[in-house]
Amino acid sequence: TSQVDLPAASASHWIFDSLSPGETKAVVDFVKLKMPAVETDMVGPFRKVDFLSGTSAVELIEPPKDVAQRFLNGDGPAPPRFARVTLVRGSADPPDVMEYKVGPILGC
């Protein structure tokens, strides 16, 4: 048998990591500041309120491929991190779902 040495994972791959708890909280706090009527707790099916849509309500938007490649190759700065926020607008008539891009996320 022969040993295969795999290269260590690059420390720069953090740009693709899920949002940290601190980043997620910062995004939720920002949404609640801009849209005070948004509920973040579980909402019953017949309440006509706006709410974040569960565990996938706040997710990372991966950076554009060309920007990420430049950073990973050492030819550019770290790309800013943005979140996709999914909001159920139960107060709309008819109710609908909206997605918002929030960021860049700084200082988390």
Side-chain angles (χ1 to χ4, degrees):
T1 65
S2 54
Q3 179 177 341
V4 177
D5 292 322
L6 299 175
S10 170
S12 60
H13 283 97
W14 64 266
I15 64 172
F16 301 112
D17 286 350
S18 296
L19 296 174
S20 71
E23 289 172 317
T24 301
K25 182 180 181 327
V27 170
V28 170
D29 289 348
F30 176 80
V31 169
K32 287 171 65 176
L33 178 69
K34 295 295 182 181
M35 302 176 196
V38 170
E39 298 277 338
T40 56
D41 296 326
M42 294 299 290
V43 176
F46 301 108
R47 291 188 54 207
K48 293 185 178 277
V49 298
D50 299 345
F51 60 96
L52 298 179
S53 67
T55 58
S56 62
V58 180
E59 297 180 312
L60 175 71
I61 297 175
E62 291 189 359
K65 184 177 180 178
D66 61 328
V67 175
Q69 283 182 320
R70 281 196 299 274
F71 172 68
L72 294 172
N73 292 333
D75 296 327
R81 287 169 63 84
F82 288 88
R84 176 183 304 104
V85 175
T86 305
L87 178 72
V88 176
R89 296 190 317 164
S91 64
D93 188 20
D96 60 13
V97 176
M98 298 294 291
E99 288 186 346
Y100 298 92
K101 180 178 181 180
V102 176
I105 305 166
L106 305 172
C108 296

